Amino acid sequence: MLNAAIALTHHPSSQTVAVGVAANFSVTSTAYGTLTYQWQKNQVNLSNGGHYSGVTTNTLTVSNADSSDAANYRCVVSNAGGSTNSNSAALTLKAATTITQHPSNQTVAVGGTATFSVPSTGYGTLSYQWQ
């Protein structure tokens, strides 16, 4: 029986995660015979260890993501008949929430109004809790 071409039925999806959070990429494939997997970061083979686990399985885990992990990931799926590459999936990091200016002390007359503001930047909708 001839080895059939590998069909990737599910490619990894791009992800945006906060610093320190895990990202998981997966592929689903079908073909005759035993399939092997090799995950790549920017087209360079990965090894298990550090932030990476599952580099030779259909699911790659990037643990405790940091700026060094922001890249494109893909999986090379192989069998005796050859190999095929998944589409690349980007891992991006959410911008850390940062207070760009702290509130200033204010002196107001009794019955007056003090107004405090905290300009901030970050990913998504920011919420505030004054104390």
Side-chain angles (χ1 to χ4, degrees):
M1 176 179 247
L2 296 175
N3 290 325
I6 298 167
L8 290 173
T9 56
H10 172 78
H11 290 268
S13 299
S14 294
Q15 296 183 42
T16 301
V17 299
V19 172
V21 173
N24 293 298
F25 297 99
S26 64
V27 295
T28 305
S29 51
T30 59
Y32 177 79
T34 302
L35 295 174
T36 61
Y37 303 90
Q38 177 61 61
W39 284 93
Q40 297 179 331
K41 174 183 172 184
N42 293 334
Q43 300 180 357
V44 175
N45 288 350
L46 289 169
S47 298
N48 284 318
H51 292 216
Y52 306 109
S53 61
V55 300
T56 57
T57 70
N58 71 320
T59 300
L60 171 69
T61 299
V62 181
S63 300
N64 300 313
D66 64 25
S67 60
S68 68
D69 299 313
N72 290 310
Y73 294 85
R74 73 176 185 184
C75 188
V76 179
V77 183
S78 304
N79 68 2
S83 65
T84 191
N85 299 329
S86 72
N87 294 339
S88 290
L91 175 59
T92 55
L93 298 176
K94 295 178 180 179
T97 301
T98 304
I99 295 174
T100 57
Q101 183 179 346
H102 292 275
S104 301
N105 292 333
Q106 296 185 28
T107 303
V108 296
V110 173
T113 301
T115 302
F116 297 95
S117 65
V118 182
S120 306
T121 61
Y123 182 84
T125 302
L126 302 179
S127 61
Y128 300 85
Q129 176 62 57
W130 288 93
Q131 297 181 353

